[in-house]
Structure formats: structure tokens, C-alpha cells
């Protein structure tokens, strides 16, 4: 398994409209796609994005500690932006060819060593500083309680791959628990369960992929 990049982070939110407004006005993101179920936020449709799904009532923070967005410069913005409902976005100043790209996701875990081994088996690469890399972004494992996996704020992490079929075959060979396979107009996606019941999506862009 070899994901190409961290494509998106999907979240369950109770007040999607207000959170979209904060993300647009304070972070400079835009609504790439909006439906009656979700809003896709980002600076580029082919790079790191946030997906906000409607949830009935507030969710628990769960395994999600924070999300980091990479920006060329803060430009007068606060380094930490609270979107509400327990969701904090940290702005990380670094060279980037796409403004507001995903820089990292930090997850709480009761057993960082075991969780790291699990994420490595799913295609994340171990780095010397202890983080796990995926296409220039990072997964950070923070000692702590990942909470109840039944009503999490985090819906799933999405990583871009060249072939979902290849990842499905490898997941089955490794005994990874598959949650779902979704064939959509622009993409095909395989959902599997990762450490601490964090859902991971392997997403493949079809030739018809046309979001802008």
C-alpha cells in the first residue's frame, strides 16, 4: 500500500453553515462542492481538503486532536482558528505550492506504538521524528484517550491512491477490515478501519474527475 497524498479530512458537524462561513472568512478556503449532505472546502480540488458532513447533534472530539493547514504566511491571521464543535485548525507557515494545503492530522491514541504499526501497515511511512508521512503531509500520534468510536467528530481520513483495486486486494491479503466500497461519478473509494476505529478512505480519481 502506498498512498500518494493526504487528500482530505472528513468530519461530522452539527452546524455546517456556520462552520463553512468561519472557514471561508477566517481561513480563506472556498466551497469547492456543496450538496444537501456535505460541503467540500479547500483551496484546490486536487489537494488537501476538508469535508463537512451533517450530523444530528454535536459529536465527541474522539480521536481527533487537531488538523494543521500549511500556509505560505499567516498574513495577519491567528495561528489557531476555532471552527467550533471541538474542531481547531492550526496554521503552519511553510513553503507550499498550494495555499491552505493539509499539513498534518494529530490523533489521540492510548497505545502510540501499536497505532503507529497499524498505520504503517496501511501505507503510512515512519519518519525519524516519530511522525507518519503520506505525500508531504503527516500523521501525529498523541498519547491520550481516543474516546467513543460510535459518535466521533472525525468521519474519516482520505488518501489518494493510483489504484483502489490494488489496495483492496492488499487489504484483503493483510486481513484489514473493509468498511465499504463506493463507486461514485468522479471517484472510486475503499473504506477500511484503521487503529482506534479511525476510518481511512483510499480514493482513486477517475479520468472524469472534474472538480475545480
Amino acid at each position: 500500500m502506498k498512498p500518494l497524498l493526504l487528500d482530505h479530512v472528513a468530519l461530522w458537524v452539527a452546524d455546517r453553515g456556520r462552520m463553512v462561513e468561519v472557514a471561508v472568512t477566517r481561513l480563506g478556503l472556498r466551497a469547492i462542492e456543496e450538496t444537501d449532505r456535505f460541503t467540500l472546502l479547500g483551496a484546490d480540488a486536487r489537494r488537501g481538503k476538508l469535508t463537512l458532513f451533517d450530523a444530528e447533534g454535536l459529536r465527541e472530539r474522539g480521536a481527533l486532536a487537531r488538523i494543521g493547514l500549511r500556509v505560505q504566511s499567516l498574513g495577519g491571521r491567528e495561528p489557531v482558528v476555532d471552527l467550533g464543535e471541538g474542531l481547531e485548525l492550526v496554521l503552519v507557515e511553510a513553503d507550499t505550492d498550494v495555499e491552505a494545503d493539509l499539513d498534518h492530522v494529530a490523533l489521540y491514541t492510548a497505545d502510540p506504538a501499536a497505532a503507529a504499526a497499524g498505520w504503517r501497515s496501511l501505507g503510512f511511512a515512519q519518519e525519524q521524528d516519530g511522525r507518519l508521512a503520506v505525500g508531504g503531509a503527516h500523521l501525529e500520534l498523541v498519547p491520550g484517550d481516543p474516546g467513543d468510536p460510535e459518535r466521533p467528530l472525525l468521519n474519516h481520513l482520505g488518501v489518494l491512491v493510483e489504484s483502489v483495486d490494488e489496495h483492496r486486494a492488499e487489504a484483503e491479503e493483510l486481513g484489514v477490515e473493509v468498511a465499504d466500497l463506493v463507486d461514485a461519478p468522479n471517484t472510486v473509494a475503499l473504506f477500511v478501519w484503521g487503529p482506534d476505529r479511525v476510518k481511512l478512505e483510499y480514493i482513486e480519481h477517475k479520468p472524469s474527475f472534474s472538480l475545480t
Side-chain angles (χ1 to χ4, degrees), residues 113-187:
W119 287 111
R120 288 196 300 271
S121 73
L122 295 174
F124 289 70
Q126 188 75 58
E127 295 194 305
Q128 290 185 346
D129 61 6
R131 298 186 301 176
L132 296 145
V134 54
H138 305 278
L139 193 64
E140 300 178 4
L141 301 177
V142 181
D145 183 3
D148 182 357
E150 295 304 316
R151 289 187 55 81
L153 174 62
L154 179 62
N155 183 312
H156 66 267
L157 303 178
V159 293
L160 184 66
V161 299
E162 290 184 350
S163 170
V164 160
D165 283 343
E166 290 181 5
H167 281 74
R168 182 183 185 183
E170 192 166 351
E172 291 174 349
E173 182 179 342
L174 292 172
V176 175
E177 184 181 353
V178 174
D180 201 3
L181 180 67
V182 178
D183 191 347
N186 286 312
T187 62

Side-chain angles (χ1 to χ4, degrees), residues 101-114:
D101 198 0
L102 284 170
D103 180 80
H104 68 273
V105 177
L107 300 176
Y108 291 117
T109 178
D111 189 339

Side-chain angles (χ1 to χ4, degrees), residues 32-95:
I32 297 169
E33 183 179 10
E34 192 155 17
T35 74
D36 58 354
R37 294 179 52 247
F38 69 87
T39 300
L40 183 65
L41 293 165
D44 188 309
R46 294 184 177 271
R47 296 294 291 270
K49 303 171 288 291
L50 300 176
T51 308
L52 306 184
F53 283 96
D54 286 327
E56 294 183 1
L58 295 174
R59 292 297 185 108
E60 297 181 8
R61 189 182 188 97
L64 182 63
R66 65 181 177 276
I67 299 171
L69 296 181
R70 189 177 303 146
V71 297
Q72 197 70 36
S73 170
L74 288 178
R77 292 172 293 191
E78 294 293 326
V80 179
V81 176
D82 185 359
L83 291 189
E85 301 186 27
L87 178 58
E88 289 184 344
L89 297 183
V90 179
L91 301 184
V92 180
E93 286 186 318
D95 287 337

